[in-house]
Amino acid sequence: SLQDKNALHLYSVNGKYLGSETLKEEVSDMCVTGEYIVMGSLQGFLSIRDLYSLNLSISPLAMRLPIHCISVTKEYSHILVGLEDGKLIIVGVGKPAEV
């Protein structure tokens, strides 16, 4: 965060700069899962981005409260979202018939 601007920067394992994306929210937690970055923000948005292009995979989901932590199940079937008020939100991943 620099002067009220937030950005996500991508580097290779060798330290080569690959790109960046300016963010509108303050990231509170994130995890890398397969080919995706799952991020939660203090503004209450859950975002899923492509790991290589940093583009949004879906439009952000509003949780209405600041997100404190994020985890993805080892089968990649659900995203666990911990909110500021102590609630745990479970988000199914995939097509509705699969969830």
Side-chain angles (χ1 to χ4, degrees):
S1 180
L2 180 64
Q3 299 174 353
D4 297 327
K5 292 183 181 180
N6 299 293
L8 185 63
H9 299 282
L10 181 65
Y11 291 86
S12 72
V13 292
N14 297 327
K16 180 181 176 187
Y17 176 76
L18 299 175
S20 65
E21 185 70 30
T22 302
L23 304 174
K24 295 178 183 174
E25 302 97 24
E26 278 185 77
V27 176
S28 56
D29 194 21
M30 71 176 178
C31 71
V32 176
T33 305
E35 297 182 3
Y36 297 97
I37 302 170
V38 182
M39 299 188 313
S41 71
L42 293 177
Q43 288 73 22
F45 289 100
L46 177 68
S47 304
I48 301 173
R49 293 181 174 271
D50 181 80
L51 179 60
Y52 304 107
S53 68
L54 300 180
N55 294 329
L56 284 170
S57 296
I58 61 166
S59 46
L61 301 172
M63 298 288 150
R64 300 186 183 172
L65 288 171
I67 295 173
H68 278 248
C69 61
I70 299 237
S71 183
V72 178
T73 60
K74 69 179 181 176
E75 299 87 16
Y76 308 124
S77 60
H78 295 83
I79 300 171
L80 309 174
V81 182
L83 301 179
E84 182 179 57
D85 64 355
K87 290 181 183 167
L88 176 66
I89 305 295
I90 301 172
V91 179
V93 177
K95 297 175 184 165
E98 297 172 351
V99 175

